[in-house]
C-alpha cells in the first residue's frame, strides 16, 4: 500500500518535538485515495455480515461512515464523555500520561449484533482496546480496521487476539 503512504503527509515535531505526525488530511482530500482506503477496509470485512460499524471520535467517523454505507449497515459513534445525548456506557483507559474515557449510547448495539470498529490510526492501542471492550459488553466484535498502524508502538498487542485486525499503511 505504498501509494497510500505517499498520500499521507508527514509533519515532524507535532504535537511535540521528536514525533512525526501522520496527517491523513492530504489523503482524504484526494477522491481516488479516499476511495482506495474505503474499498480496502470494505474488502477485508465484506463477508463478515456486519450489522454496525463503530467509529472512534473523530477521525474514525471520517472512515467509518462510508465503510458502513458500503457494507449496507448502520453507524455507531464512540465519543468522548458528555458528547452523546442519551444514556451511555463508558470505559476509562490509560494513556501515556494519565487517563481518558470514551462512551457509546447504552442502546446503540443490540445483544449479539456484529460490529466492525474503525479508526484512522493504531498507535499504542489504548483507545482502540477500550472501544473494543465497550463493544464486547453488548455485541460481537468481528473486526477492527485502521488506515495507519505505527508498528513500533505495538498497539496491536493490546487488541483482542480473536478479532481480525487490519491496517492499510504500516510505519
Amino acid at each position: 500500500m505504498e501509494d497510500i503512504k505517499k498520500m499521507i503527509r508527514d509533519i515532524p515535531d507535532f504535537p511535540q518535538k521528536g514525533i512525526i505526525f501522520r496527517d491523513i488530511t492530504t489523503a482524504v482530500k484526494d477522491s481516488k485515495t479516499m476511495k482506495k482506503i474505503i474499498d480496502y477496509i470494505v474488502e477485508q470485512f465484506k463477508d463478515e455480515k456486519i450489522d454496525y460499524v463503530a467509529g472512534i471520535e473523530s477521525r474514525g467517523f471520517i472512515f467509518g461512515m462510508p465503510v458502513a454505507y458500503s457494507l449496507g449497515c448502520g453507524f455507531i459513534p464512540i465519543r468522548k464523555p458528555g458528547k452523546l445525548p442519551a444514556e451511555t456506557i463508558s470505559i476509562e483507559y490509560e494513556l501515556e500520561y494519565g487517563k481518558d474515557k470514551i462512551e457509546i449510547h447504552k442502546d446503540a448495539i443490540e445483544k449479539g449484533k456484529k460490529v466492525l470498529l474503525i479508526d484512522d490510526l493504531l498507535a499504542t492501542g489504548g483507545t482502540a482496546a477500550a472501544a473494543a471492550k465497550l463493544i464486547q459488553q453488548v455485541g460481537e466484535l468481528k473486526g477492527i480496521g485502521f488506515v495507519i498502524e505505527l508498528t513500533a508502538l505495538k498497539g496491536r498487542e493490546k487488541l483482542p487476539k480473536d478479532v481480525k485486525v487490519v491496517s492499510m499503511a504500516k510505519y
Side-chain angles (χ1 to χ4, degrees):
M1 298 296 164
E2 291 302 312
D3 56 333
I4 298 300
K5 288 171 89 170
K6 289 178 187 169
M7 296 302 294
I8 297 168
R9 174 173 42 195
D10 292 345
I11 300 179
D13 300 323
F14 183 85
Q16 63 189 42
K17 192 155 184 63
I19 302 289
I20 298 174
F21 186 82
R22 307 296 180 180
D23 180 20
I24 60 160
T25 62
T26 48
V28 298
K29 80 174 190 177
D30 180 76
S31 62
K32 290 179 183 161
T33 303
M34 182 66 164
K35 183 172 178 4
K36 282 182 187 178
I37 292 168
I38 300 307
D39 290 349
Y40 172 81
I41 296 170
V42 168
E43 182 64 27
Q44 302 304 307
F45 296 100
K46 69 180 183 186
D47 297 326
E48 298 294 331
K49 297 184 172 85
I50 302 295
D51 296 300
Y52 297 111
V53 171
I56 301 172
E57 183 175 347
S58 67
R59 291 181 300 249
F61 296 0
I62 294 169
F63 301 103
M65 285 293 295
V67 168
Y69 175 81
S70 297
L71 290 173
C73 60
F75 178 80
I76 297 168
I78 297 176
R79 303 214 56 195
K80 294 179 177 161
K83 302 287 186 177
L84 295 171
E87 189 177 355
T88 61
I89 56 174
S90 63
I91 189 166
E92 191 172 86
Y93 60 99
E94 297 287 328
L95 294 171
E96 193 174 352
Y97 300 106
K99 295 182 181 205
D100 208 347
K101 186 188 269 191
I102 52 174
E103 301 178 331
I104 62 172
H105 278 135
K106 189 174 184 177
D107 61 356
I109 305 168
E110 300 85 9
K111 193 147 190 76
K113 293 293 184 176
K114 297 175 183 172
V115 181
L116 170 60
L117 178 62
I118 299 291
D119 205 2
D120 68 320
L121 176 79
L122 174 60
T124 62
T127 306
K133 287 177 187 170
L134 263 182
I135 291 166
Q136 290 174 320
Q137 287 180 28
V138 290
E140 181 184 345
L141 183 62
K142 292 299 287 183
I144 308 174
F146 301 97
V147 179
I148 300 168
E149 180 176 356
L150 306 178
T151 57
L153 297 178
K154 301 182 187 220
R156 192 176 281 248
E157 293 175 7
K158 290 184 182 170
L159 302 177
K161 305 295 181 237
D162 60 339
V163 172
K164 180 178 180 178
V165 177
V166 300
S167 58
M168 192 170 191
K170 292 179 173 69
Y171 292 90

